[in-house]
Amino acid sequence: MLQTIAERLRQQYRTVPYPSAHPVLSERFMGRPHINAHTCTANAGCTACMEVCPTQALALQEGTLGLDMGRCTFCGKCAKACPQSALTFTKEYRLASSTRQGLWVFPSPEPADAPVPSQVQPFDHPMLPSLRRSCRLREVSAAGCNACEADCNVLGTIVFDLPRFGIDYVASPRHADGLLITGPLPRNMQLATQKCYTAVTPPKLVMAVGACAISGGLFSGLEAEGEGAPAHLTVNLFIPGCPPHPYTILDGMLRFLGKQVP
Amino acid sequence: MANHITLMNGTSVPVHSIPSLGIGEFSQWLTDELHNRARVCAFFAGPQENDSQNNRTSRMLYAVLARDAENSLAVAATPAPQAYPAFTPAMPALHLFERELYEETGIEPTGHPWLKPVRFPATPHGPAIGIADFFTVTGEDVHEVAVGPIHAGIIECGHFRFQCQGEVVMHLEISLGYHHRGIEKALQGGPTKRTLPFMETLAGDTTIGHSWAYSTIIEALAHLPVAPRGQALRAVALELERLANHTGDLGALAGDIGYLPTSAFCGRLRGDFLNITALLCGNRFGRNLVCPGGTAVAADAALCRTMVERLHLAAKDVEGAANLMWRTGSVLSRMMGIGTVPEKAARDLGLVGPAARASGLPCDARSTHPLPGMRGHDLHTHTLQAGDVFARATMRHKEIQESVAFITRMLQSLPEGEVYSHPTPGCSNTPPLAPHTLAVALVEGWRGEVCHVAMTGAQGNFARYKVMDPSFHNWIGLAMALRGQQISDFPLCNKSFNLSYCGHDL
């Protein structure tokens, strides 16, 4: 017992100061992509970034280049391939969106470090005041690779201490206000996920975490038919990444519940 | 003519040089090897060949065996028959390979005791997921407990059925396939720009293990030398992956016992190791780190120093957290004698990794099959005899200590030079691969041996790409560990193996 206390004192208090302070991220962290409108030549026929993208996250929309963070794995190959260095990855980790369209990044005349307004709207539902105090989520790994799962799990550790925000992962869908889905949701997971969704109590939130859950990501178009959660369920919150950084997930959840975030 | 061809880990041989044996001779060779000197790494059907003269298609069956004592691999082939007497009754280590073969090709191993679906892929006549002829036990006091596919925690999905008498589990059947994403099929015809990302997500907690194996395959097939500094950084990243997962599992074991101090400490420390990987490549799971020819990221002396400093801080806290557990009698009594896999069972079933080493098998590809340039860098292979949850837990702790020492050594003496040998850093385009060639790569991931086997076609693209995650070998070990145990021992046994569902289902 004394040894336990001594070790606890030695290992110190380790919960991060977030949300009262910004998180500390690795120097090489790849966050929100930025396309420089002044230098990008995609509208003049350059396709360098589109050619190297493994998930077809880059596409021309009415002559303008767009990057779909819902497909992006943040591998950075496009940035390396861009002959104009017009495409860069910033350290912005706040990437979540309430809408699928809000995950698109278009060329911007602003510098890369200019603030970008959040695409998350607080959940528009009469239950929001209750959910802000207590939001229970049932995580379903719909053929995720265990990276998104790990970064959802880590929020429950003493580092992030998710329950202090009133958010908890629960075992039974009957105890849950919503589903948190990771993985591309291929055919072999569709029935189980549907049954789980049916058992969830209202308001039946759905959060899609990671490129796979949002769009099928890398696995879109394969024989196993993993095209992501939106193909089967109405998604309320999209959290992009491969996997999203734990802070990206936490930021998205907190904004969705209308809580204070840095 | 010899009845097999030998090669070293990370090398390739022309397909035509692999001896083709009659099925009887092939069976005899397998039996002799597996009973005397070798383990099975892979057994699979090669690509379908069109025989235009006879207007039919044909294919070969290949077996890749590891002879650990000789540090070599042995390969032989046999023309695939429509059906053949199953190898499993004499060689149980092949049980899942033969099920997979039947599911993928329809080639029937007759007399296989357990010829059930493996992944439930999309086939016109195949059963829907979860529809299988489950093993049942009948009689007084017998009951069945079905768990999953969706489990209670944040974990991957799979279906478990326990046949119990009272609290005692007579048999656990594990039925997977829920995480089948169709990757192996998508790899055929490659490499493409998606191939390396597929490798990094085969099992997202083994990103380095699989991306290193794949890069080794490309290096062997393209005769691409690997940059020594890049190879050393890969080895560092592989051990960081091991540290994060072993630490997480020690914490999870403590959590399942209800011993919260170690559980809480290790939950944090796991992330500390992941963050060291992120220092190197920006991603906590080692994405975009390994590429054919070396690594896509460089590390200067200052970064290496920072990594070592942070490693030692975390390692010291892991020691504290683990030792608390080992000093607590109630924790030890919960682990000792639980979920025992005897050495003979582990050998017969072909278990790999820390689970095999905890049962007394000294198999560790880092020592017995070092990758090109890694000879002399091997780590001490620990083995234990008990084969129980406690042995698998203490094995993790010993390996944590070895990995910390190894990373420190490597980062303090990284070879000079570039981190990649490939002309295009980050390897956005793959060099041309030798046609009609077979390459094998073994990497000792944190769960055990990651094995990739590639066969190229006439144009040098992948005609067949086989991935064996260590989980493929070890799921049966978990089923065996549960025999005669209480059903309440399941979480502990499960965590002590912590196998991958997606790595199995592909």
Side-chain angles (χ1 to χ4, degrees):
Chain A
M1 184 62 176
L2 288 175
Q3 285 170 334
T4 312
I5 295 168
E7 187 60 26
R8 168 65 184 79
L9 290 174
R10 203 184 65 72
Q11 297 219 5
Q12 300 176 336
Y13 178 83
R14 294 297 190 142
T15 303
V16 288
Y18 182 93
S20 56
H22 277 286
V24 181
L25 299 168
S26 137
E27 279 299 311
R28 295 179 176 182
F29 173 74
M30 309 257 286
R32 187 184 168 85
H34 176 266
I35 305 169
N36 186 331
H38 303 298
T39 50
C40 175
T41 54
N43 53 3
C46 176
T47 57
C49 56
M50 291 175 256
E51 282 165 25
V52 295
C53 180
T55 55
Q56 292 167 305
L58 287 143
L60 285 178
Q61 291 207 335
E62 292 166 9
T64 307
L65 182 68
L67 191 160
D68 178 8
M69 289 195 291
R71 290 188 172 275
C72 181
T73 61
F74 295 78
C75 70
K77 292 206 171 64
C78 51
K80 281 181 188 163
C82 179
Q84 322 293 334
S85 301
L87 210 166
T88 50
F89 283 80
T90 68
K91 287 190 73 182
E92 178 59 68
Y93 65 94
R94 296 164 291 189
L95 309 175
S97 172
S98 303
T99 62
R100 183 69 183 83
Q101 188 59 28
L103 296 172
W104 279 85
V105 173
F106 296 104
S108 160
E110 303 285 330
D113 55 1
V116 181
S118 172
Q119 295 296 317
V120 184
Q121 303 299 321
F123 187 42
D124 183 16
H125 194 277
M127 280 181 74
L128 181 62
S130 311
L131 289 169
R132 196 178 284 154
R133 289 197 300 275
S134 168
C135 179
R136 305 282 159 133
L137 298 170
R138 168 66 248 200
E139 203 276 344
V140 176
S141 171
C145 75
N146 211 18
C148 285
E149 288 76 1
D151 272 351
C152 289
N153 236 333
V154 78
L155 294 177
T157 65
I158 56 169
V159 179
F160 298 93
D161 191 16
L162 193 61
R164 73 189 154 123
F165 302 104
I167 308 170
D168 247 325
Y169 300 123
V170 291
S172 169
R174 300 257 185 236
H175 301 159
D177 302 299
L179 292 184
L180 191 165
I181 296 181
T182 52
L185 193 41
R187 187 180 40 249
N188 285 0
M189 270 308 293
Q190 287 165 8
L191 178 62
T193 306
Q194 196 62 51
K195 283 184 175 177
C196 190
Y197 179 77
T198 308
V200 169
T201 57
K204 288 181 183 279
L205 307 170
V206 178
M207 300 182 181
V209 173
C212 290
I214 295 172
S215 67
L218 270 172
F219 307 104
S220 173
L222 301 196
E223 215 178 66
E225 298 167 9
E227 302 297 331
H232 307 275
L233 300 165
T234 304
V235 177
N236 305 98
L237 181 66
F238 299 86
I239 304 178
C242 185
H245 194 279
Y247 279 118
T248 305
I249 304 172
L250 187 54
D251 168 79
M253 288 179 175
L254 296 183
R255 285 176 194 271
F256 183 71
L257 295 174
K259 289 178 178 268
Q260 284 295 315
V261 285
Chain B
M1 187 178 160
N3 57 2
H4 64 273
I5 184 166
T6 59
L7 72 162
M8 306 288 279
N9 184 17
T11 62
S12 60
V13 290
V15 172
H16 67 77
S17 70
I18 300 168
S20 170
L21 315 176
I23 188 77
E25 207 185 340
F26 185 77
S27 168
Q28 214 164 30
W29 172 71
L30 267 180
T31 315
D32 174 51
E33 289 282 337
L34 292 193
H35 288 170
N36 294 313
R37 60 188 80 83
R39 318 177 271 113
V40 61
C41 294
F43 172 66
F44 61 95
Q48 210 147 33
E49 312 272 357
N50 285 317
D51 184 351
S52 49
Q53 279 183 340
N54 295 316
N55 196 22
R56 57 179 190 164
T57 58
S58 66
R59 63 201 315 172
M60 303 286 283
L61 301 183
Y62 294 87
V64 179
L65 310 180
R67 292 167 164 179
D68 291 341
E70 296 162 29
N71 313 125
S72 67
L73 307 168
V75 185
T78 183
Q82 260 315 301
Y84 68 94
F87 301 140
T88 299
M91 294 168 275
L94 285 159
H95 75 108
L96 199 54
F97 289 102
E98 290 197 307
R99 280 170 61 179
E100 181 191 45
L101 177 73
Y102 180 59
E103 184 173 73
E104 286 180 357
T105 65
I107 297 168
E108 190 179 347
T110 47
H112 191 292
W114 199 267
L115 206 54
K116 302 181 186 192
V118 180
R119 305 191 173 100
F120 300 89
T123 49
H125 311 294
I129 182 84
I131 308 297
D133 174 22
F134 291 106
F135 186 78
T136 52
V137 179
T138 51
E140 220 171 310
D141 298 335
V142 171
H143 64 105
E144 182 181 81
V145 179
V147 180
I150 299 178
H151 299 169
I154 303 186
I155 38 174
E156 300 167 70
C157 292
H159 182 64
F160 298 156
R161 283 203 187 191
F162 301 84
Q163 306 296 326
C164 306
Q165 187 179 34
E167 283 296 305
V168 177
V169 178
M170 288 183 281
H171 182 67
L172 160 62
E173 182 166 2
I174 301 171
S175 182
L176 303 177
Y178 295 88
H179 280 246
H180 180 58
R181 294 163 290 173
I183 298 182
E184 231 178 47
K185 208 162 194 178
L187 292 173
Q188 282 180 35
T192 67
K193 58 189 177 182
R194 275 204 210 187
T195 308
L196 184 54
F198 278 144
M199 297 297 168
E200 294 179 328
T201 49
L202 279 171
D205 49 29
T206 314
T207 295
I208 303 295
H210 281 291
S211 57
W212 192 357
Y214 166 70
S215 295
T216 302
I217 290 283
I218 295 294
E219 285 149 16
L221 289 172
H223 304 293
L224 178 71
V226 56
R229 192 177 176 88
Q231 191 77 325
L233 279 178
R234 290 174 179 178
V236 166
L238 185 76
E239 297 311 314
L240 283 171
E241 193 165 84
R242 193 181 322 276
L243 283 172
N245 286 295
H246 279 5
T247 303
D249 285 349
L250 281 181
L253 275 168
D256 278 345
I257 294 171
Y259 187 65
L260 299 184
T262 302
S263 161
F265 293 143
C266 289
R268 160 178 79 88
L269 291 160
R270 176 177 190 279
D272 285 2
F273 291 121
L274 295 178
N275 288 338
I276 300 176
T277 301
L279 281 179
L280 195 54
C281 69
N283 182 292
R284 286 153 50 87
F285 296 87
R287 305 281 162 83
N288 317 312
L289 199 160
V290 178
C291 66
T295 59
V297 293
D300 60 14
L303 179 60
C304 292
R305 265 198 308 279
T306 311
M307 287 172 70
V308 171
E309 277 164 23
R310 293 193 34 186
L311 174 74
H312 287 178
L313 284 177
K316 190 176 170 198
D317 288 353
V318 172
E319 281 303 298
N323 286 332
L324 276 187
M325 194 156 66
W326 311 140
R327 283 198 295 254
T328 305
S330 55
V331 172
L332 300 185
S333 68
R334 191 70 191 83
M335 291 184 179
M336 287 177 169
I338 301 295
T340 302
V341 181
E343 182 178 342
K344 184 174 183 328
R347 176 175 288 117
D348 289 349
L349 294 168
L351 301 196
V352 295
R357 296 193 279 276
S359 291
L361 300 184
C363 73
D364 183 338
R366 290 171 296 176
S367 305
T368 53
H369 303 280
L371 285 157
M374 291 304 294
R375 209 167 270 276
H377 286 302
D378 53 327
L379 293 89
H380 178 71
T381 302
H382 291 279
T383 52
L384 294 165
Q385 292 306 315
D388 56 2
V389 170
F390 181 63
R392 286 188 288 276
T394 42
M395 182 56 64
R396 307 295 193 101
H397 187 198
K398 284 174 188 292
E399 294 189 11
I400 286 170
Q401 293 167 333
E402 286 289 334
S403 296
V404 169
F406 176 85
I407 296 172
T408 309
R409 282 201 306 274
M410 291 302 270
L411 285 179
Q412 285 170 350
S413 59
L414 278 184
E416 293 300 322
E418 296 290 342
V419 290
Y420 58 87
S421 60
H422 194 260
T424 52
C427 200
S428 45
N429 42 4
T430 312
L433 309 181
H436 295 302
T437 304
L438 176 144
V440 185
L442 305 183
V443 173
E444 189 70 21
W446 66 274
R447 280 194 188 93
E449 180 181 285
V450 170
C451 173
H452 288 205
V453 184
M455 294 178 70
T456 51
Q459 310 303 319
N461 45 12
F462 295 140
R464 192 81 168 95
Y465 198 102
K466 277 302 297 170
V467 173
M468 265 67 54
D469 188 83
S471 308
F472 190 81
H473 300 279
N474 280 8
W475 274 110
I476 189 71
L478 173 59
M480 290 303 128
L482 248 283
R483 289 221 167 150
Q485 302 296 298
Q486 302 237 324
I487 195 163
S488 55
D489 294 328
F490 176 71
L492 270 187
C493 291
N494 189 30
K495 279 284 155 21
S496 71
F497 282 88
N498 191 8
L499 300 174
S500 173
Y501 300 72
C502 57
H504 170 279
D505 292 344
L506 300 176

